[in-house]
């Protein structure tokens, strides 16, 4: 079977790798380059911390478990780190954190309270402000270095025979004798199945094939899709896990660097007029970072990046064929980094064996058929402790 995968982000590359390992003929296409879309600007925290829907929670748990199995199979520099995560609450956030810890504990999700001294030992080189009143530890969580992860997956996919090419897909056709994908230059690629894993471009490409996959598409100032990340080049830290604090989220990056996220600042970010390195947003991010450093007098060096989240309109993963007769498999998720390993395996299994996988049953694109967008659309602004 020949499978054409449109989109070489973390989901598309994961499926490509699993299909290639299974012996299928795989062509992976991306308009810019593997991992250069949403995957390049993600906080990359692996978790199922605030996923109240039971089906979504189970899928994310399976994603976390699959990361450990996949890491043992991939060559290349380590890209997955089961570091655990800490959430620090002040008086304004402690009830929200306590409620979530209680909920997760009732589900058997590892979560417990730690003292500031214990948190300092877990976190490494950070200072916990005096305003922090409670701290929860989530030992099963972790993070991914997205560029390494995609590179390792792609290298393994190609070793197993997958072909990878740069090309902008402008049309997808589902015909009685197979599927075809037309590129901007006029080239037509044919196959037996298409996996549409185009991230935030999914709705537009799906519509060209007559498929409705409602996505949040606004990319204006403060839109739900817009997310700002800071990449701190200095000072270098011995940060050992993911941190969520009331004003700043942090995770380790390669070389002692740190990725920073301040969710409330996203409301002020305009992709058409990106924040400058010496502007108010950059200054606020640097001040919050400095307040957590052992030596707060050092001025951080921070590069800013704007990302666009891939948000299905109802907030949940989309995974499945567009209809019972379709050869186009739609795949998009906001939880792409957490879910990439499990979605890669389950989607590849469904395509290569035609056997439906139970974990994906609640996430079919057919759930949108005949449904008004206003009845399913939810607000996905991430603003609170532990959100993404």
């Amino acid at each position: 079977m020949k499978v054409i995968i449109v989109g070489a982000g973390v989901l598309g590359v994961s499926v490509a790798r699993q299909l290639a390992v299974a012996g299928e003929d795989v062509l992976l296409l991306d308009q810019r380059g593997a991992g250069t879309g949403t995957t390049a600007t993600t906080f990359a925290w692996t978790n199922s911390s605030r996923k109240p829907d039971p089906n979504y929670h189970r899928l994310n748990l399976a994603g976390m478990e699959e990361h450990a199995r996949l890491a043992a199979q991939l060559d290349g520099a380590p890209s997955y780190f089961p570091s655990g995560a800490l959430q620090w609450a002040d008086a304004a956030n402690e009830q929200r954190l306590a409620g979530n810890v209680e909920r997760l504990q009732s589900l058997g999700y590892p979560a417990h309270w730690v003292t500031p001294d214990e948190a300092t030992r877990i976190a490494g080189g950070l200072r916990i402000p005096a305003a922090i009143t409670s701290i929860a530890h989530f030992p099963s969580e972790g993070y991914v270095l997205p560029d390494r992860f995609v590179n390792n997956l792609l290298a393994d996919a190609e070793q197993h025979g997958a072909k990878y090419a740069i090309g902008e897909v402008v049309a997808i056709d589902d015909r009685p004798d197979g599927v075809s994908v037309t590129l901007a230059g006029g080239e037509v690629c044919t196959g037996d199945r298409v996996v549409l894993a185009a991230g935030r471009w999914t709705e537009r490409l799906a519509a060209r094939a007559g498929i409705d996959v409602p996505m949040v598409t606004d990319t204006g100032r403060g839109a739900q899709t817009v997310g700002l990340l800071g990449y701190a080049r200095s000072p270098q830290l011995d940060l050992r896990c993911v941190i969520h604090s009331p004003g700043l989220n942090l995770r380790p990056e390669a070389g002692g660097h740190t990725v920073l996220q301040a969710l409330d600042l996203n409301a002020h970010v305009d992709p058409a007029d990106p924040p400058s390195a010496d502007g108010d947003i950059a200054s606020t991010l640097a001040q919050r970072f400095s307040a957590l450093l052992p030596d707060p007098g050092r001025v951080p060096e921070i590069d800013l990046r704007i990302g666009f989240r891939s948000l299905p309109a109802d907030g949940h993963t989309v995974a499945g064929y567009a209809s019972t007769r379709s050869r186009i498999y739609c795949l998009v998720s906001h939880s792409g980094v957490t879910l990439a390993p499990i979605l890669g395996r389950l989607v590849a299994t469904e395509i290569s064996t035609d056997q439906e996988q139970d974990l994906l049953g609640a996430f079919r694109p057919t759930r949108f058929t005949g449904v008004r967008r206003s009845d399913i659309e939810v607000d996905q602004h991430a603003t609170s402790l532990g959100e993404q």
Side-chain angles (χ1 to χ4, degrees):
M1 179 188 300
K2 181 173 182 179
V3 184
I4 303 170
I5 300 174
V6 180
V10 68
L11 294 184
V13 176
S14 295
V15 175
R17 185 256 176 191
Q18 289 283 2
L19 284 169
V21 168
E24 306 295 353
D25 182 359
V26 176
L27 172 62
L28 176 65
L29 299 170
D30 196 273
Q31 62 179 332
R32 292 184 178 87
T36 59
T38 299
T39 301
T41 51
T42 171
F43 190 65
W45 165 40
T46 58
N47 75 97
S48 190
S49 179
R50 292 193 182 272
K51 311 287 169 46
D53 178 84
N55 292 312
Y56 198 35
H57 180 67
R58 284 193 292 271
L59 185 60
N60 278 269
L61 286 178
M64 295 165 68
E65 294 168 359
E66 194 75 13
H67 262 290
R69 287 192 286 269
L70 180 60
Q73 301 170 17
L74 293 178
D75 294 329
S79 60
Y80 165 63
F81 300 86
S83 62
L86 291 167
Q87 293 190 21
W88 307 348
D90 55 15
N93 290 279
E94 60 184 9
Q95 286 190 333
R96 175 178 168 80
L97 178 57
N100 198 46
V101 168
E102 182 178 358
R103 180 185 67 85
L104 291 172
Q105 288 176 335
S106 73
L107 297 172
Y109 190 87
H112 59 269
W113 301 106
V114 294
T115 66
D117 285 344
E118 290 171 327
T120 299
R121 288 194 294 271
I122 294 167
L126 287 181
R127 184 174 63 87
I128 301 175
I132 298 302
T133 57
S134 57
I135 304 172
H137 183 217
F138 304 88
S140 64
E141 297 177 358
Y143 66 95
V144 166
L145 300 182
D147 53 346
R148 283 191 194 174
F149 188 46
V150 168
N151 289 339
N152 292 346
L153 285 166
L154 181 58
D156 201 58
E158 291 182 315
Q159 285 178 2
H160 284 89
K163 298 179 179 63
Y164 164 61
I166 301 296
E168 181 184 357
V169 173
V170 295
I172 303 172
D173 294 307
D174 191 354
R175 307 177 316 223
D177 59 341
V179 289
S180 66
V181 169
T182 304
L183 303 183
E187 180 183 355
V188 177
C189 307
T190 60
D192 302 294
R193 299 287 187 276
V194 165
V195 178
L196 179 55
R200 62 189 178 91
W201 295 276
T202 295
E203 181 175 343
R204 173 171 54 84
L205 285 174
R208 293 178 182 176
I211 300 167
D212 182 24
V213 181
M215 302 279 295
V216 181
T217 57
D218 181 15
T219 58
R221 179 185 176 91
Q224 298 175 62
T225 57
V226 174
L228 180 71
L229 293 178
Y231 290 76
R233 292 176 283 114
S234 72
Q236 295 188 0
L237 297 182
D238 178 28
L239 184 62
R240 300 169 193 163
C241 73
V242 178
I243 304 291
H244 295 87
S245 76
L248 194 67
N249 300 329
L250 310 92
R251 74 156 168 87
E253 182 55 90
H257 299 173
T258 307
V259 178
L260 310 174
Q261 181 187 59
L263 295 173
D264 61 306
L265 298 183
N266 290 339
H268 309 289
V269 175
D270 184 354
D273 184 19
S276 64
D278 57 354
D280 291 343
I281 289 177
S283 176
T284 299
L285 198 63
Q287 288 172 7
R288 293 183 187 180
F289 185 39
S290 294
L292 305 181
L293 297 175
D295 179 10
R298 293 194 60 181
V299 178
E301 297 180 61
I302 302 173
D303 298 323
L304 300 180
R305 294 186 201 171
I306 297 176
F308 299 97
R309 304 190 298 161
S310 298
L311 298 178
D314 65 355
H316 293 307
T317 295
V318 177
Y321 288 105
S323 71
T324 55
R325 297 183 299 276
S326 178
R327 295 178 178 84
I328 300 174
Y329 196 107
C330 301
L331 181 64
V332 61
S333 179
H334 169 44
S335 302
V337 167
T338 296
L339 296 180
I342 192 64
L343 288 177
R345 179 166 65 81
L346 296 180
V347 172
T349 298
E350 291 199 329
I351 290 171
S352 60
T353 69
D354 286 326
Q355 297 296 312
E356 292 192 353
Q357 302 298 295
D358 290 343
L359 276 174
L360 300 183
F363 303 103
R364 306 306 187 188
T366 49
R367 70 182 186 265
F368 301 121
T369 303
V371 177
R372 292 182 304 178
R373 185 179 182 120
S374 60
D375 291 337
I376 61 167
E377 199 160 21
V378 296
D379 185 354
Q380 298 179 66
H381 281 100
T383 58
S384 301
L385 182 69
E387 292 183 344
Q388 290 299 312

